[in-house]
mmCIF file of all heavy atoms in Angstrom:
data_model
loop_
_atom_site.group_PDB
_atom_site.id
_atom_site.type_symbol
_atom_site.label_atom_id
_atom_site.label_comp_id
_atom_site.label_asym_id
_atom_site.label_seq_id
_atom_site.Cartn_x
_atom_site.Cartn_y
_atom_site.Cartn_z
ATOM 1 N N LYS B 18 18.537 -14.026 53.498
ATOM 2 C CA LYS B 18 17.976 -13.069 52.543
ATOM 3 C C LYS B 18 18.496 -13.611 51.190
ATOM 4 O O LYS B 18 19.566 -14.028 50.959
ATOM 5 C CB LYS B 18 18.432 -11.698 52.921
ATOM 6 C CG LYS B 18 17.222 -10.799 53.086
ATOM 7 C CD LYS B 18 17.668 -9.490 52.664
ATOM 8 C CE LYS B 18 18.338 -8.675 53.733
ATOM 9 N NZ LYS B 18 18.445 -7.240 53.467
ATOM 10 N N MET B 21 22.468 -12.289 45.481
ATOM 11 C CA MET B 21 23.181 -12.973 44.471
ATOM 12 C C MET B 21 24.306 -13.897 45.159
ATOM 13 O O MET B 21 24.515 -15.056 44.786
ATOM 14 C CB MET B 21 24.058 -12.062 43.613
ATOM 15 C CG MET B 21 23.264 -11.666 42.348
ATOM 16 S SD MET B 21 24.325 -10.947 41.318
ATOM 17 C CE MET B 21 23.052 -10.562 39.990
ATOM 18 N N GLN B 32 29.738 -15.220 42.794
ATOM 19 C CA GLN B 32 28.618 -14.247 42.722
ATOM 20 C C GLN B 32 28.601 -13.540 41.189
ATOM 21 O O GLN B 32 27.587 -13.328 40.607
ATOM 22 C CB GLN B 32 28.705 -13.045 43.800
ATOM 23 C CG GLN B 32 27.758 -12.074 43.840
ATOM 24 C CD GLN B 32 28.346 -10.826 43.093
ATOM 25 O OE1 GLN B 32 28.746 -10.718 41.963
ATOM 26 N NE2 GLN B 32 28.400 -9.667 43.941
ATOM 27 N N SER B 33 29.858 -13.264 40.729
ATOM 28 C CA SER B 33 29.930 -12.652 39.470
ATOM 29 C C SER B 33 29.438 -13.582 38.350
ATOM 30 O O SER B 33 28.825 -13.072 37.384
ATOM 31 C CB SER B 33 31.311 -12.101 39.141
ATOM 32 O OG SER B 33 32.171 -13.064 39.562
ATOM 33 N N SER B 36 25.710 -13.027 38.324
ATOM 34 C CA SER B 36 25.365 -11.813 37.568
ATOM 35 C C SER B 36 25.463 -12.035 36.172
ATOM 36 O O SER B 36 24.645 -11.427 35.447
ATOM 37 C CB SER B 36 26.448 -10.743 38.107
ATOM 38 O OG SER B 36 26.341 -9.454 37.417
ATOM 39 N N TYR B 62 14.250 -16.163 43.235
ATOM 40 C CA TYR B 62 15.100 -15.065 43.346
ATOM 41 C C TYR B 62 14.847 -13.922 42.486
ATOM 42 O O TYR B 62 14.557 -14.143 41.234
ATOM 43 C CB TYR B 62 16.583 -15.481 43.161
ATOM 44 C CG TYR B 62 17.489 -14.292 43.181
ATOM 45 C CD1 TYR B 62 17.818 -13.421 44.280
ATOM 46 C CD2 TYR B 62 18.159 -13.950 41.861
ATOM 47 C CE1 TYR B 62 18.621 -12.253 44.106
ATOM 48 C CE2 TYR B 62 18.916 -12.885 41.786
ATOM 49 C CZ TYR B 62 19.253 -12.032 42.892
ATOM 50 O OH TYR B 62 20.032 -11.019 42.726
ATOM 51 N N ASN B 65 17.800 -7.246 43.253
ATOM 52 C CA ASN B 65 17.463 -6.050 43.939
ATOM 53 C C ASN B 65 17.585 -4.900 43.063
ATOM 54 O O ASN B 65 18.840 -4.428 42.663
ATOM 55 C CB ASN B 65 18.392 -6.013 45.167
ATOM 56 C CG ASN B 65 18.046 -4.791 46.068
ATOM 57 O OD1 ASN B 65 17.692 -3.696 45.482
ATOM 58 N ND2 ASN B 65 18.086 -4.976 47.311
ATOM 59 N N GLN B 69 20.866 -2.368 41.697
ATOM 60 C CA GLN B 69 21.217 -2.145 40.306
ATOM 61 C C GLN B 69 21.162 -0.801 39.929
ATOM 62 O O GLN B 69 21.994 -0.196 39.274
ATOM 63 C CB GLN B 69 20.159 -2.929 39.497
ATOM 64 C CG GLN B 69 20.157 -4.478 39.584
ATOM 65 C CD GLN B 69 19.228 -5.065 38.703
ATOM 66 O OE1 GLN B 69 17.982 -4.634 38.522
ATOM 67 N NE2 GLN B 69 19.523 -6.286 38.064
ATOM 68 N N LYS B 72 24.164 1.016 41.216
ATOM 69 C CA LYS B 72 25.403 0.636 40.451
ATOM 70 C C LYS B 72 25.329 1.199 39.023
ATOM 71 O O LYS B 72 26.305 1.750 38.534
ATOM 72 C CB LYS B 72 25.367 -0.935 40.310
ATOM 73 C CG LYS B 72 26.588 -1.518 39.659
ATOM 74 C CD LYS B 72 27.932 -1.317 40.464
ATOM 75 C CE LYS B 72 29.040 -1.514 39.661
ATOM 76 N NZ LYS B 72 30.343 -1.211 40.417
ATOM 77 P P DG C 30 32.053 -5.383 57.189
ATOM 78 O OP1 DG C 30 30.724 -5.899 57.593
ATOM 79 O OP2 DG C 30 33.284 -6.053 57.491
ATOM 80 O "O5'" DG C 30 32.040 -4.890 55.634
ATOM 81 C "C5'" DG C 30 31.137 -5.420 54.722
ATOM 82 C "C4'" DG C 30 29.770 -4.949 55.117
ATOM 83 O "O4'" DG C 30 29.752 -3.472 55.340
ATOM 84 C "C3'" DG C 30 28.700 -5.322 54.213
ATOM 85 O "O3'" DG C 30 27.500 -5.611 54.695
ATOM 86 C "C2'" DG C 30 28.528 -3.948 53.434
ATOM 87 C "C1'" DG C 30 28.852 -3.002 54.340
ATOM 88 N N9 DG C 30 29.529 -1.716 53.854
ATOM 89 C C8 DG C 30 30.854 -1.654 53.375
ATOM 90 N N7 DG C 30 31.101 -0.427 52.853
ATOM 91 C C5 DG C 30 29.894 0.286 53.056
ATOM 92 C C6 DG C 30 29.604 1.700 52.700
ATOM 93 O O6 DG C 30 30.349 2.423 52.199
ATOM 94 N N1 DG C 30 28.329 1.947 52.981
ATOM 95 C C2 DG C 30 27.422 1.118 53.663
ATOM 96 N N2 DG C 30 26.245 1.618 53.888
ATOM 97 N N3 DG C 30 27.663 -0.140 54.010
ATOM 98 C C4 DG C 30 28.835 -0.531 53.642
ATOM 99 P P DC C 31 26.591 -6.663 53.853
ATOM 100 O OP1 DC C 31 26.243 -7.757 54.891
ATOM 101 O OP2 DC C 31 27.460 -7.220 52.772
ATOM 102 O "O5'" DC C 31 25.399 -5.906 53.308
ATOM 103 C "C5'" DC C 31 24.324 -5.448 54.101
ATOM 104 C "C4'" DC C 31 23.472 -4.683 53.224
ATOM 105 O "O4'" DC C 31 24.125 -3.339 53.073
ATOM 106 C "C3'" DC C 31 23.286 -5.255 51.858
ATOM 107 O "O3'" DC C 31 21.997 -5.841 51.761
ATOM 108 C "C2'" DC C 31 23.271 -3.990 50.893
ATOM 109 C "C1'" DC C 31 23.848 -2.835 51.844
ATOM 110 N N1 DC C 31 25.039 -2.251 51.318
ATOM 111 C C2 DC C 31 25.091 -0.851 51.067
ATOM 112 O O2 DC C 31 24.155 -0.218 51.357
ATOM 113 N N3 DC C 31 26.360 -0.348 50.599
ATOM 114 C C4 DC C 31 27.480 -1.087 50.436
ATOM 115 N N4 DC C 31 28.486 -0.541 50.037
ATOM 116 C C5 DC C 31 27.410 -2.499 50.646
ATOM 117 C C6 DC C 31 26.114 -3.053 51.023
ATOM 118 P P DG C 32 22.035 -7.434 51.280
ATOM 119 O OP1 DG C 32 20.577 -7.883 51.649
ATOM 120 O OP2 DG C 32 23.166 -8.105 51.802
ATOM 121 O "O5'" DG C 32 21.898 -7.268 49.619
ATOM 122 C "C5'" DG C 32 21.015 -6.660 49.042
ATOM 123 C "C4'" DG C 32 21.423 -6.449 47.524
ATOM 124 O "O4'" DG C 32 22.592 -5.518 47.550
ATOM 125 C "C3'" DG C 32 21.870 -7.603 46.887
ATOM 126 O "O3'" DG C 32 21.153 -7.721 45.676
ATOM 127 C "C2'" DG C 32 23.287 -7.532 46.731
ATOM 128 C "C1'" DG C 32 23.435 -5.973 46.538
ATOM 129 N N9 DG C 32 24.806 -5.505 47.101
ATOM 130 C C8 DG C 32 25.617 -5.906 48.051
ATOM 131 N N7 DG C 32 26.625 -5.259 48.158
ATOM 132 C C5 DG C 32 26.658 -4.345 47.286
ATOM 133 C C6 DG C 32 27.449 -3.269 46.994
ATOM 134 O O6 DG C 32 28.513 -2.951 47.513
ATOM 135 N N1 DG C 32 27.049 -2.437 45.781
ATOM 136 C C2 DG C 32 25.830 -2.593 45.282
ATOM 137 N N2 DG C 32 25.523 -1.722 44.330
ATOM 138 N N3 DG C 32 24.981 -3.656 45.516
ATOM 139 C C4 DG C 32 25.464 -4.450 46.529
ATOM 140 P P DC C 33 21.433 -8.800 44.530
ATOM 141 O OP1 DC C 33 20.120 -9.056 43.912
ATOM 142 O OP2 DC C 33 22.115 -9.882 45.291
ATOM 143 O "O5'" DC C 33 22.319 -8.041 43.475
ATOM 144 C "C5'" DC C 33 21.658 -7.089 42.709
ATOM 145 C "C4'" DC C 33 22.834 -6.097 42.229
ATOM 146 O "O4'" DC C 33 23.808 -5.946 43.167
ATOM 147 C "C3'" DC C 33 23.556 -6.803 40.998
ATOM 148 O "O3'" DC C 33 22.904 -6.354 39.718
ATOM 149 C "C2'" DC C 33 25.031 -6.366 41.165
ATOM 150 C "C1'" DC C 33 24.981 -5.587 42.429
ATOM 151 N N1 DC C 33 26.129 -5.955 43.303
ATOM 152 C C2 DC C 33 27.271 -5.129 43.332
ATOM 153 O O2 DC C 33 27.235 -4.062 42.554
ATOM 154 N N3 DC C 33 28.280 -5.294 44.140
ATOM 155 C C4 DC C 33 28.142 -6.456 45.058
ATOM 156 N N4 DC C 33 29.138 -6.668 45.792
ATOM 157 C C5 DC C 33 27.091 -7.262 45.086
ATOM 158 C C6 DC C 33 26.062 -6.995 44.266
ATOM 159 P P DA C 34 23.392 -6.918 38.398
ATOM 160 O OP1 DA C 34 22.319 -6.644 37.450
ATOM 161 O OP2 DA C 34 23.791 -8.342 38.550
ATOM 162 O "O5'" DA C 34 24.626 -6.026 37.921
ATOM 163 C "C5'" DA C 34 24.419 -4.723 37.734
ATOM 164 C "C4'" DA C 34 25.688 -4.076 37.262
ATOM 165 O "O4'" DA C 34 26.777 -4.249 38.299
ATOM 166 C "C3'" DA C 34 26.432 -4.582 36.019
ATOM 167 O "O3'" DA C 34 27.033 -3.515 35.154
ATOM 168 C "C2'" DA C 34 27.476 -5.573 36.480
ATOM 169 C "C1'" DA C 34 27.854 -4.931 37.798
ATOM 170 N N9 DA C 34 28.409 -5.734 38.897
ATOM 171 C C8 DA C 34 27.852 -7.015 39.376
ATOM 172 N N7 DA C 34 28.425 -7.486 40.394
ATOM 173 C C5 DA C 34 29.427 -6.597 40.635
ATOM 174 C C6 DA C 34 30.482 -6.482 41.667
ATOM 175 N N6 DA C 34 30.565 -7.485 42.590
ATOM 176 N N1 DA C 34 31.339 -5.509 41.612
ATOM 177 C C2 DA C 34 31.134 -4.569 40.676
ATOM 178 N N3 DA C 34 30.177 -4.450 39.691
ATOM 179 C C4 DA C 34 29.440 -5.476 39.745
ATOM 180 P P DT C 35 27.627 -3.686 33.831
ATOM 181 O OP1 DT C 35 27.121 -2.574 33.086
ATOM 182 O OP2 DT C 35 27.290 -5.068 33.282
ATOM 183 O "O5'" DT C 35 29.233 -3.549 34.024
ATOM 184 C "C5'" DT C 35 29.702 -2.793 35.189
ATOM 185 C "C4'" DT C 35 31.170 -2.877 35.294
ATOM 186 O "O4'" DT C 35 31.372 -3.923 36.479
ATOM 187 C "C3'" DT C 35 31.843 -3.637 34.133
ATOM 188 O "O3'" DT C 35 33.039 -3.019 33.991
ATOM 189 C "C2'" DT C 35 31.960 -5.132 34.627
ATOM 190 C "C1'" DT C 35 32.266 -4.933 36.112
ATOM 191 N N1 DT C 35 32.044 -5.984 36.989
ATOM 192 C C2 DT C 35 32.739 -6.108 38.109
ATOM 193 O O2 DT C 35 33.686 -5.419 38.421
ATOM 194 N N3 DT C 35 32.538 -7.199 38.802
ATOM 195 C C4 DT C 35 31.487 -8.297 38.624
ATOM 196 O O4 DT C 35 31.373 -9.125 39.458
ATOM 197 C C5 DT C 35 30.827 -8.051 37.442
ATOM 198 C C7 DT C 35 29.628 -9.030 37.061
ATOM 199 C C6 DT C 35 31.100 -7.020 36.647
ATOM 200 P P DT C 36 33.861 -3.121 32.502
ATOM 201 O OP1 DT C 36 33.357 -2.167 31.600
ATOM 202 O OP2 DT C 36 33.748 -4.596 32.065
ATOM 203 O "O5'" DT C 36 35.433 -2.843 32.977
ATOM 204 C "C5'" DT C 36 35.672 -2.037 34.033
ATOM 205 C "C4'" DT C 36 36.812 -2.484 34.863
ATOM 206 O "O4'" DT C 36 36.333 -3.652 35.723
ATOM 207 C "C3'" DT C 36 38.003 -3.154 33.927
ATOM 208 O "O3'" DT C 36 39.228 -2.603 34.526
ATOM 209 C "C2'" DT C 36 37.838 -4.546 34.240
ATOM 210 C "C1'" DT C 36 37.353 -4.648 35.650
ATOM 211 N N1 DT C 36 36.452 -5.928 35.805
ATOM 212 C C2 DT C 36 36.665 -6.625 37.033
ATOM 213 O O2 DT C 36 37.545 -6.404 37.836
ATOM 214 N N3 DT C 36 36.096 -7.838 37.171
ATOM 215 C C4 DT C 36 34.972 -8.321 36.220
ATOM 216 O O4 DT C 36 34.475 -9.257 36.504
ATOM 217 C C5 DT C 36 34.806 -7.482 35.126
ATOM 218 C C7 DT C 36 33.757 -7.917 34.080
ATOM 219 C C6 DT C 36 35.604 -6.375 34.972
ATOM 220 P P DC C 37 40.506 -2.665 33.608
ATOM 221 O OP1 DC C 37 41.321 -1.351 33.675
ATOM 222 O OP2 DC C 37 40.118 -3.293 32.199
ATOM 223 O "O5'" DC C 37 41.255 -3.879 34.371
ATOM 224 C "C5'" DC C 37 41.295 -3.779 35.766
ATOM 225 C "C4'" DC C 37 41.809 -4.992 36.378
ATOM 226 O "O4'" DC C 37 40.704 -5.996 36.425
ATOM 227 C "C3'" DC C 37 42.934 -5.758 35.524
ATOM 228 O "O3'" DC C 37 44.042 -5.983 36.431
ATOM 229 C "C2'" DC C 37 42.193 -7.105 35.061
ATOM 230 C "C1'" DC C 37 41.193 -7.304 36.116
ATOM 231 N N1 DC C 37 39.983 -8.040 35.584
ATOM 232 C C2 DC C 37 39.483 -9.054 36.422
ATOM 233 O O2 DC C 37 39.959 -9.351 37.431
ATOM 234 N N3 DC C 37 38.384 -9.841 35.983
ATOM 235 C C4 DC C 37 37.928 -9.395 34.693
ATOM 236 N N4 DC C 37 36.884 -10.215 34.355
ATOM 237 C C5 DC C 37 38.451 -8.436 33.869
ATOM 238 C C6 DC C 37 39.359 -7.768 34.237
ATOM 239 P P DA C 38 45.482 -6.194 35.751
ATOM 240 O OP1 DA C 38 46.453 -5.210 36.301
ATOM 241 O OP2 DA C 38 45.276 -6.379 34.217
ATOM 242 O "O5'" DA C 38 45.815 -7.614 36.308
ATOM 243 C "C5'" DA C 38 44.789 -8.624 36.301
ATOM 244 C "C4'" DA C 38 44.942 -9.669 37.422
ATOM 245 O "O4'" DA C 38 43.725 -10.235 37.455
ATOM 246 C "C3'" DA C 38 46.034 -10.626 37.062
ATOM 247 O "O3'" DA C 38 46.357 -11.378 38.386
ATOM 248 C "C2'" DA C 38 45.161 -11.569 36.077
ATOM 249 C "C1'" DA C 38 43.822 -11.503 36.686
ATOM 250 N N9 DA C 38 42.714 -11.339 35.548
ATOM 251 C C8 DA C 38 42.847 -10.588 34.502
ATOM 252 N N7 DA C 38 41.799 -10.601 33.674
ATOM 253 C C5 DA C 38 41.068 -11.598 34.273
ATOM 254 C C6 DA C 38 39.856 -12.226 33.855
ATOM 255 N N6 DA C 38 39.156 -11.887 32.838
ATOM 256 N N1 DA C 38 39.368 -13.138 34.612
ATOM 257 C C2 DA C 38 39.993 -13.396 35.816
ATOM 258 N N3 DA C 38 41.221 -12.962 36.292
ATOM 259 C C4 DA C 38 41.647 -11.979 35.393
#
Side-chain angles (χ1 to χ4, degrees):
Chain B
K18 236 211 285 190
M21 270 195 180
Q32 181 259 63
S33 41
S36 174
Y62 166 74
N65 183 325
Q69 291 181 324
K72 184 69 196 177

